[in-house]
Amino acid sequence: LEDYQSGVPRWCTGCGDNAILTAVQRLCRDEGLRPEKTVFVSGIGCSSRFPHYMKTYGFHGIHGRALPIAEGIRLARPDLTIFVNTGDGDCCSIGAAHWIHALRYNMNLTVFLHDNQIYGLTKKQASPTSPIGTKSNTTPRGSYLDALNPLSVALGVANASFIAQAVDWIPESLFEIVKAAYHHKGFSFVRILQRCPEWLPKLHEADMQEPDAVQLLHHENALQISPNLAKVYKNQLKHDPLDIHRAREIASSTDVVPVGILYQNREIPCYEDTRQTGILRTPDIVRKGLEAEFDKYEV
Ligand code: SF4
Ligand code: MG
């Protein structure tokens, strides 16, 4: 993995971001991604330090703006492989407008939402995904709003083409989901439940201890059960990733934590492959168009 490693992560010991980094570096190695053709884009937050730890190109952006930056790179450089690392504050709060439209554009990007359900970098403020009752610096008596469910939101956006969930503490499925997201042509959105032992050390304790708490979604056309996954998951559910209604039910159920591909539609075209953006990507046509416009106003 050292071909892709850069520096020593500054994340806290036991932070789930470390597991995500390892899975992604493993993907880069297994797929033989060329570092000079690969770029990681992030916003602001603990998880947004991700590009610093990859020996590829990277762009540590501004708060909530990882997605428009990545979209700009996609339009200008169709030859690059582009990943986005964003947190729950970055994506679901300040960047929420960009997130909704990025899902709708369906550009070919692989997006990891590191959802630790808290603002970690700024030392524990409630985020949109914090469970109700979360005590934090901004909600000292406990948060009183229901948490936003990123899977349900994503499943409600027309044109969304790949929506999955992983948990950082099961590396076998984390890797398989990261890999499936990378191979999907379109906007691959993976919400990763990421532990923050610094500020919410008990949040996933029960999910980790109870063998049935996490349920593997599998299907012959999506995530297939390997012997490795069969060993790890006692609780399994066959789910057709084209069944969006069932995906919505699974996403909103609180009985178990679903892990796998909730929805995948390979037929939705990527924004950058449509005619309008073809114009943007062809400087000649742009130039000729602009010249024609200027001619109209010549004096
Ligand atoms: Fe990870 Fe939480 Fe530490 Fe941030 S504060 S590095 S999310 S454990
Ligand atoms: Mg967070």
Side-chain angles (χ1 to χ4, degrees):
L1 298 185
E2 55 269 24
D3 285 351
Y4 297 96
Q5 287 168 344
S6 169
V8 180
R10 279 204 216 160
W11 295 314
C12 308
T13 306
C15 174
D17 285 335
N18 293 291
I20 301 169
L21 181 68
T22 303
V24 172
Q25 287 172 338
R26 198 178 143 200
L27 174 84
C28 293
R29 181 201 61 190
D30 289 6
E31 300 293 332
L33 294 188
R34 287 165 57 189
E36 74 279 13
K37 290 278 187 191
T38 306
V39 56
F40 284 81
V41 183
S42 67
I44 294 294
C46 289
S47 57
S48 289
R49 296 194 54 77
F50 204 96
H52 294 272
Y53 308 135
M54 293 300 302
K55 210 187 279 174
T56 60
Y57 280 103
F59 196 126
H60 190 171
I62 51 175
H63 206 194
R65 315 296 175 223
L67 288 167
I69 293 166
E71 288 159 0
I73 299 170
R74 168 54 69 232
L75 287 178
R77 291 291 305 270
D79 56 317
L80 299 182
T81 298
I82 307 170
F83 295 91
V84 176
N85 299 88
T86 178
D88 39 317
D90 199 59
C91 178
C92 308
S93 186
I94 188 170
H98 297 303
W99 171 42
I100 303 298
H101 291 285
L103 282 156
R104 192 169 67 93
Y105 292 166
N106 194 38
M107 286 191 179
N108 192 20
L109 302 168
T110 305
V111 180
F112 302 123
L113 168 60
H114 301 225
D115 190 358
N116 60 1
Q117 294 156 271
I118 197 79
Y119 284 81
L121 190 73
T122 47
K123 303 189 187 296
K124 200 176 187 185
Q125 294 82 25
S127 89
T129 61
S130 296
I132 194 162
T134 300
K135 287 195 173 160
S136 74
N137 291 324
T138 43
T139 54
R141 289 190 290 276
S143 58
Y144 54 87
L145 291 177
D146 275 328
L148 177 148
N149 180 335
L151 297 173
S152 299
V153 173
L155 284 162
V157 177
N159 257 1
S161 68
F162 183 102
I163 297 159
Q165 177 157 270
V167 293
D168 79 57
W169 60 91
I170 307 183
E172 291 87 347
S173 51
L174 176 61
F175 177 71
E176 291 301 332
I177 293 163
V178 160
K179 188 168 145 189
Y182 164 74
H183 282 289
H184 174 78
K185 187 167 186 288
F187 190 89
S188 316
F189 176 70
V190 186
R191 180 210 195 183
I192 305 173
L193 292 174
Q194 176 234 315
R195 286 165 300 168
C196 174
E198 185 68 16
W199 305 121
L200 295 177
K202 297 201 180 306
L203 185 61
H204 295 298
E205 223 171 45
D207 297 334
M208 292 174 69
Q209 279 163 9
E210 168 56 52
D212 284 342
V214 182
Q215 182 179 59
L216 180 72
L217 307 177
H218 64 90
H219 194 267
E220 58 270 23
N221 297 333
L223 198 66
Q224 293 171 10
I225 300 194
S226 62
N228 245 354
L229 290 178
K231 231 187 286 166
V232 180
Y233 284 93
K234 303 277 166 286
N235 190 349
Q236 303 168 2
L237 177 73
K238 188 167 177 181
H239 167 62
D240 179 353
L242 271 171
D243 186 346
I244 197 158
H245 300 294
R246 186 75 187 108
R248 286 180 181 139
E249 284 169 8
I250 293 169
S252 58
S253 162
T254 48
D255 300 343
V256 289
V257 176
V259 158
I261 301 172
L262 282 95
Y263 183 68
Q264 181 172 19
N265 186 339
R266 296 179 176 88
E267 302 300 319
I268 298 177
C270 291
Y271 185 88
E272 62 271 31
D273 294 340
T274 59
R275 225 175 100 248
Q276 310 84 298
T277 54
I279 291 171
L280 278 178
R281 284 203 273 116
T282 314
D284 267 4
I285 294 177
V286 173
R287 207 188 54 241
K288 278 179 198 152
L290 287 174
E291 282 167 4
E293 279 300 304
F294 290 144
D295 284 348
K296 281 190 211 161
Y297 301 104
E298 242 173 24
V299 283

